[in-house]
Amino acid sequence: PVSEADYPFPARAGARDHEATLPAQDTEAPGVQDETGKFEAGLLAQYGGSGGGGEQASTVMTENMSQVQPFLTGKTIELAGFPESKQHDLSEWISEAEGEIVYSDHAGRVDYLITPLQGREGELRPHRHLVTDIWLEDCLDLGQLIRPPKYYHRPVVMPASASPLQGVVTCLSGYSGREREFLTHLITALGGLAQEIFAKRDNPEKGARGNTHLICPEGQGQKYEAAMKWKLPIVSRNWLAACLRDLAWVSERSYLVG
């Protein structure tokens, strides 16, 4: 028999900080302070400054770290379906990237219509690209426009009554960051369960269900080896995309990994 092992997800990426900050300085010995002074002076010179001390260097560093590239210059953007606090944050990021935020009185289509992962109810404004806030955060991290958007930058719109993967208990392996966030949401939207523990059978003490599927991009790793021993289907993310397309639990045969 194969002993059951737990394989927790990596820690989920936190919300994007709006402004970079520097850590507090510790008290240092005199020799270290001299070296620090030389470093800050050199840093200030690197950014074209002259004279001054550590405070000026720290100011230059903070301004440089918090700068957002103007990758949305000339682009019109509408935000739809977000709570007020989230809408405020997204609006600030778009403005810093020099995008133009439009509202209900705007005539014509927009370049980018941004919604939450679950989309939004009602009729959508004409648009060139329909994306989620995950797309915007990825663009901000790269400092450039991601064109075309990746598959996990699209909203997942499901009929309220559809749950084609009810009874499916999945675990993800080999996917990270916002792509993993999207896949977790997709599994849940399809009626399945995406859990942090990869388990051979139900474990009430750990709040875990026995897994029915492993979803991974390639045939390697501890979870893959365990799934092979437990004779569980190992499929790629394309299986989830097929289930979404057909709104049905499609055969795993064409999507098996390894």
Side-chain angles (χ1 to χ4, degrees):
V2 180
S3 59
E4 179 182 330
D6 300 339
Y7 304 101
F9 279 132
R12 180 175 172 179
R16 176 186 171 87
D17 292 334
H18 176 65
E19 183 174 82
T21 57
L22 294 175
Q25 294 182 346
D26 296 325
T27 303
E28 299 174 334
V32 177
Q33 290 176 342
D34 291 342
E35 291 300 319
T36 302
K38 292 177 182 178
F39 170 77
E40 291 180 341
L43 182 65
L44 186 60
Q46 178 183 345
Y47 286 103
S50 61
E55 182 178 349
Q56 290 173 293
S58 298
T59 301
V60 172
M61 282 185 66
T62 302
E63 291 176 351
N64 184 67
M65 291 171 66
S66 62
Q67 182 179 1
V68 173
Q69 296 298 316
F71 59 86
L72 289 177
T73 301
K75 303 297 183 184
T76 53
I77 296 105
E78 181 178 24
L79 299 170
F82 294 99
E84 184 176 350
S85 59
K86 180 70 172 181
Q87 177 123 349
H88 175 76
D89 290 341
L90 295 175
S91 297
E92 286 196 344
W93 296 346
I94 291 168
S95 297
E96 289 181 18
E98 298 189 4
E100 179 187 352
I101 301 174
V102 303
Y103 301 95
S104 57
D105 58 348
H106 177 77
R109 67 177 179 172
V110 295
D111 293 308
Y112 291 93
L113 177 59
I114 303 178
T115 73
L117 265 176
Q118 68 271 20
R120 61 153 291 180
E121 296 181 356
E123 186 176 353
L124 299 177
R125 175 195 296 277
H127 52 272
R128 291 183 175 86
H129 304 282
L130 177 62
V131 293
T132 69
D133 51 316
I134 285 180
W135 170 82
L136 179 59
E137 293 185 15
D138 278 348
C139 289
L140 287 162
D141 285 348
L142 293 175
Q144 64 185 38
L145 206 59
I146 299 177
R147 289 184 301 191
K150 300 181 183 296
Y151 81 92
Y152 57 88
H153 292 150
R154 313 287 187 182
V156 177
V157 181
M158 290 282 298
S161 59
S163 295
L165 295 188
Q166 187 170 4
V168 168
V169 181
T170 69
C171 189
L172 293 168
S173 178
Y175 299 102
S176 61
R178 297 185 181 107
E179 181 179 20
R180 191 184 189 101
E181 177 185 349
F182 170 86
L183 292 173
T184 299
H185 174 83
L186 176 56
I187 293 164
T188 303
L190 289 167
L193 173 64
Q195 68 180 15
E196 297 184 353
I197 295 176
F198 191 43
K200 184 178 181 180
R201 60 181 64 87
D202 290 353
N203 189 330
E205 291 183 0
K206 296 183 178 180
R209 298 263 306 277
N211 282 94
T212 62
H213 293 72
L214 176 66
I215 301 175
C216 62
E218 54 190 355
Q220 63 179 23
Q222 290 181 311
K223 291 180 182 179
Y224 175 82
E225 296 297 332
M228 290 290 289
K229 292 178 180 178
W230 300 343
K231 300 186 183 304
L232 297 179
I234 307 167
V235 294
S236 72
R237 61 176 173 79
N238 293 329
W239 178 66
L240 295 174
C243 294
L244 176 63
R245 179 196 64 212
D246 297 348
L247 291 180
W249 184 335
V250 304
S251 171
E252 294 91 346
R253 183 173 302 173
S254 299
Y255 306 98
L256 294 174
V257 173

